[in-house]
Amino acid sequence: RMNKEQAKSRGDRVPGHEPCGIIDIIGHGVKKVKEGDRVTVYHYLGCGHCDQCASGNLMWCREARGYGGPVDGSHADYVIADERNCVPIPDSVSFIDGAFIACPGGTAFSSMKKLDVKAGNTVAVFGLGPVGLSGVAIAKAMGGKVIGIDILDLRLDLAKSIGADEVVNAKNDNPVDAIRNFTNGKGAMLAFEASGSTQGRTDIIHSLSRGGKAVFVGVGSNENVINPSQIIGSQLTLMGSFVLPLWLTWEMVGFVNSQKVSFEKAVTHRFSIDDAPLAYKIFDEGQTGKAVFEWN
Ligand SMILES: [Zn+2]
Ligand SMILES: [Zn+2]
C-alpha cells in the first residue's frame, strides 16, 4: 500500500501490482504459456540476463521495474506481462488467492520460509493488514501456534477467522506481557513484523524466547529501535525480508494448493473496476481488510 505522496511520484501509470487472471492473447515468440491459462503474475520485471534474474531474484535486478510503477499495472481490464513472470495456477486456486500470491501472501510466505516455522512453534504476527493476515494463514498451515497483534478490532477479528489462535489489541493490552502469558513466560520462538511501527518493532525484541527469530517486512518508521546488546544474551536472530523471489512463487502455488490455504477471509471489500474511485477512497481510509477488484 502506497501513501499519497508515493502514489503521486509514480506519475501517470496504471496502478496495481498484484495481478492474477487469464491469458487472453500471447505475443510473438511466446512458447510456455497459452491463451486461456490461469496465471498469477510476478510483479517485478527484470533484465532476464543478470545474476539476480538468473537466480530468480528479479526484485534485485539492477534494471528491476515493478508493475503499477514504472510499468503499467493491473487495475485495468488487461495487463501486458512478460512470459517468465506468468506462473500457472490450478483451477483449485482462486484468482483472489493468486493475487495474494503475487504480493501480500508471497511476502508473508517468503518470511515464514526464513523463519522456518515448525509444528508447535509459537509465531507472533505484529500488524494484521493483508501481509500480516497472510502470515497468520501461512504460519497456521505450517503448524504454528499463532498470536496476532494489532490496534484495530476489525483486523483482530479477521485474524481469528483466518486462523489465529490468540489475538491481542495492543491499544488495550501490552503485547509483550500477553505473549509471555500465552507461552508460560517463555516468549515467542518466532515473530513476523508487518506493522512497520516503532512500537511493533520494539515489542518484537522483548517478545521473543531465548534462541528466537524475527523477520521484519513492515516499512514505515525510521526510528532506531534495535540495540544489539539486547540480542546477545538470548541469541536472537533478526532478519529483513522483501517481497519474494520469482522461483518461490512457483513453490508457493504448490503450497497453497496442497495445504488448501486460502487468503479470501482477509478480503472485506470487492469492487468492479468501474468503481475504482470509490474503492481507492474506502481503502485509503485504512479501516478495511484486503480490498480487491474482480472481473466476471
Ligand atoms: Zn536482471
Ligand atoms: Zn502488494
Side-chain angles (χ1 to χ4, degrees), residues 1 17-18 43 99 102-104 107 131 243 290:
R1 176 169 183 251
H17 64 273
E18 299 168 358
H43 74 268
C103 179
T107 298
V131 174
V243 295
K290 186 66 172 166

Side-chain angles (χ1 to χ4, degrees), residues 133-148:
L133 290 170
S134 299
V136 170
I138 292 163
K140 191 71 189 167
M142 290 174 164
K145 190 170 177 295
V146 183
I147 304 170

